[in-house]
């Protein structure tokens, strides 16, 4: 920590906490009450995230035992994946039609986001030694090796099983590789990063494509973006195999006293990694359940079906997408169905009288005026 001022360290750790919440939100999308979300976030960070982070990074009991979590495989990914899955159960599912027809909105933007994520992860893992050191360079290199291998492996499984490559599948493989390398980025060798990439592109793939389809619990719990598979499973895989592949030199470079992992004859490290994973999983199951249970007594956790029929963006009084002004809604003005608009973006209820669009009480036309305008349909005709 001597390499950076405290303000920098505070911000660095803040970003870790923030991204954990962002990842978790992927499990709750499309139905969680926004008020409940705003209340949930500070309580979960305080009573769940902070406890896990301190236990592994702040000199807590897991750190004292020798559990390795280089950059958050357990603190961030196993915790967000576990809490997201548990929280999704407490909140309840999306509307059935939304679960059945869940197509990506914009695959090109997914690729843009994935590229930004990959680039940013170099700072995520490379920044953890708190210095521009050899260990930081190893962490960055291993991050890219593992991620590339994971992406290719996931794509290979897609081709083998579905007979075609998938862009969304490749992105899932990319994410799993980033997650899996995180707990051991700077303490393993390059060949181990390649091996871990193959594992992270395979085990979560089978989890998402088989386990999620044939185990009833995954059909009951609506994990919207599959955060459990891409973060909890991938993070667990990375953490456990860090216990296998960690080297004495890698641990020493990071300032750890661990004598490496199983490949160095230290099989105890595998057991320690399991203990760390189980604690983080148990902590998040208990704390997430307690918070949601108590929160549900104060405010609904899930939006009503009526609100979801309009769209979960209705809570903000806005329409997420307005393409060529077709079918917009003025949710700020209480509209509950889609309406036409003019070129200026004016909105209102639509009927047609003698070819002129007017509102339900025949006092206003959306072609040029707002709902509350006193202009009549006849005046509009004269215009």
């Amino acid at each position: 920590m001597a390499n950076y001022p405290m303000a920098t360290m505070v911000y660095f750790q803040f970003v870790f906490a923030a991204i954990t919440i962002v990842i978790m939100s992927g499990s709750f999308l499309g139905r969680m009450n926004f008020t409940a979300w705003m209340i949930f976030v500070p309580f979960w960070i305080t009573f769940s995230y902070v406890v896990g982070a301190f236990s592994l990074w702040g000199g807590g009991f897991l750190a004292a035992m020798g559990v390795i979590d280089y950059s958050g495989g357990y603190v961030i990914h196993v915790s967000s994946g576990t809490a997201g899955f548990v929280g999704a159960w407490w909140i309840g599912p999306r509307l059935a039609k939304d679960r059945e027809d869940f197509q990506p909105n914009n695959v090109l933007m997914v690729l843009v986001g994935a590229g930004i994520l990959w680039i940013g992860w170099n700072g995520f893992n490379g920044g953890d030694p708190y210095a521009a050191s050899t260990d930081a360079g190893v962490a960055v290199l291993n991050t890219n090796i593992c991620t590339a291998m994971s992406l290719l492996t996931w794509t290979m499984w897609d081709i083998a099983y579905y007979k075609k490559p998938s862009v969304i599948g490749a992105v899932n493989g990319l994410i799993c590789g980033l997650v899996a390398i995180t707990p051991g980025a700077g303490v393993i060798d390059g060949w181990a990063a390649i091996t871990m990439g193959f594992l992270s592109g395979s085990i979560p793939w089978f989890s998402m494509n088989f386990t999620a389809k044939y185990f009833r619990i995954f059909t009951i719990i609506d994990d919207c973006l599959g955060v459990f598979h891409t973060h909890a499973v991938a993070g667990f895989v990375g953490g456990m195999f860090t216990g296998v592949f960690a080297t004495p030199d890698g641990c020493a470079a990071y300032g750890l006293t661990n004598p490496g992992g199983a490949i160095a004859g230290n099989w105890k490290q595998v057991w320690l990694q399991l203990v760390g994973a189980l604690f983080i999983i148990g902590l998040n199951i208990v704390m997430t359940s307690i918070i949601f249970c108590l929160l549900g007594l104060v405010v609904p956790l899930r939006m009503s079906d009526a609100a979801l029929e309009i769209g979960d963006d209705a809570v903000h009084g806005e329409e997420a997408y307005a393409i060529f002004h077709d079918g917009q809604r003025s949710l700020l003005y209480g509209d509950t169905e889609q309406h036409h608009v003019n070129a200026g973006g004016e909105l209102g209820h639509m009927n047609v009288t003698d070819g002129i669009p007017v509102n339900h009480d025949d006092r206003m036309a959306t072609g040029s005026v707002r709902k509350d305008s006193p202009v009549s349909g006849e005046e509009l005709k004269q215009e």
Side-chain angles (χ1 to χ4, degrees):
M1 291 183 63
N3 296 289
Y4 294 104
M6 181 58 71
T8 302
M9 292 302 302
V10 168
Y11 182 76
F12 188 62
Q13 291 300 325
F14 154 75
V15 174
F16 280 114
I19 195 62
T20 306
I21 281 291
V22 171
I23 293 168
M24 187 197 311
S25 70
S27 297
F28 307 155
L29 292 177
R31 82 280 198 184
M32 186 175 183
N33 183 340
F34 191 71
T35 301
W37 170 251
M38 292 180 68
I39 299 172
F40 169 78
V41 168
F43 279 98
W44 187 87
I45 288 178
T46 302
F47 295 106
S48 188
Y49 177 85
V50 168
V51 175
F54 180 81
S55 69
L56 281 158
W57 290 343
F61 81 101
L62 292 178
M65 289 174 61
V67 178
I68 300 173
D69 188 6
Y70 187 89
S71 197
Y74 286 173
V75 172
I76 296 170
H77 300 291
V78 172
S79 65
S80 61
T82 302
F85 195 68
V86 173
W89 181 83
W90 282 100
I91 295 167
R94 289 167 290 166
L95 296 176
K97 66 178 183 180
D98 290 336
R99 297 187 71 182
E100 294 166 1
D101 184 12
F102 186 44
Q103 297 299 314
N105 173 267
N106 191 320
V107 175
L108 289 178
M109 291 304 294
V110 170
L111 282 174
V112 171
I116 294 172
L117 185 70
W118 191 337
I119 292 172
W121 219 283
N122 290 295
F124 192 70
N125 287 346
D128 263 307
Y130 307 145
S133 62
T134 301
D135 189 45
V138 170
V140 170
L141 180 60
N142 283 341
T143 295
N144 286 274
I145 292 173
C146 179
T147 302
M149 184 63 183
S150 184
L151 184 156
L152 293 173
T153 302
W154 192 293
T155 303
M156 177 194 72
W157 287 117
D158 276 347
I159 294 173
Y161 187 75
Y162 295 108
K163 309 305 180 187
K164 62 187 70 164
S166 164
V167 172
I168 298 299
V171 171
N172 278 329
L174 177 159
I175 293 171
C176 288
L178 292 171
V179 170
I181 194 61
T182 295
V187 299
I188 66 174
D189 287 334
W191 66 266
I194 295 173
T195 305
M196 197 174 286
F198 177 79
L199 294 169
S200 66
S202 299
I203 297 174
W205 186 92
F206 279 94
S207 173
M208 180 176 286
N209 288 279
F210 286 95
T211 306
K213 293 179 180 179
Y214 300 114
F215 282 76
R216 190 167 181 268
I217 190 172
F218 290 100
T219 62
I220 296 173
I221 298 177
D222 183 14
D223 177 7
C224 185
L225 296 185
V227 174
F228 176 82
H229 308 286
T230 55
H231 291 272
V233 174
F236 181 82
V237 169
M240 292 305 300
F241 280 96
T242 294
V244 175
F245 297 136
T247 67
D249 289 342
C251 291
Y254 190 50
L256 302 176
T257 59
N258 305 53
I263 60 168
N266 181 29
W267 284 94
K268 180 184 177 182
Q269 192 63 49
V270 177
W271 165 250
L272 291 175
Q273 296 301 111
L274 178 60
V275 170
L278 293 177
F279 174 77
I280 295 297
I281 291 169
L283 170 69
N284 282 279
I285 290 174
V286 172
M287 295 310 302
T288 303
S289 295
I290 290 174
I291 295 170
F292 269 123
C293 187
L294 295 177
L295 184 57
L297 300 176
V298 180
V299 62
L301 301 178
R302 182 180 182 273
M303 296 177 66
S304 66
D305 285 354
L308 293 177
E309 286 288 349
I310 302 172
D312 62 325
D313 51 355
V315 70
H316 303 289
E318 299 166 327
E319 186 77 24
Y321 296 94
I323 301 174
F324 303 116
H325 302 290
D326 181 29
Q328 296 185 69
R329 292 184 290 252
S330 179
L331 299 170
L332 287 171
Y333 291 89
D335 291 353
T336 57
E337 56 190 61
Q338 291 183 334
H339 307 290
H340 295 283
V341 299
N342 71 353
E346 302 294 344
L347 303 159
H349 289 288
M350 291 292 295
N351 281 341
V352 176
T353 303
D354 296 331
I356 301 297
V358 297
N359 76 335
H360 289 314
D361 62 5
D362 293 329
R363 290 189 303 104
M364 186 282 290
T366 60
S368 61
V369 295
R370 280 207 171 276
K371 290 181 180 180
D372 52 357
S373 170
V375 179
S376 67
E378 287 298 320
E379 291 172 327
L380 181 64
K381 287 181 184 180
Q382 294 174 4
E383 293 178 5

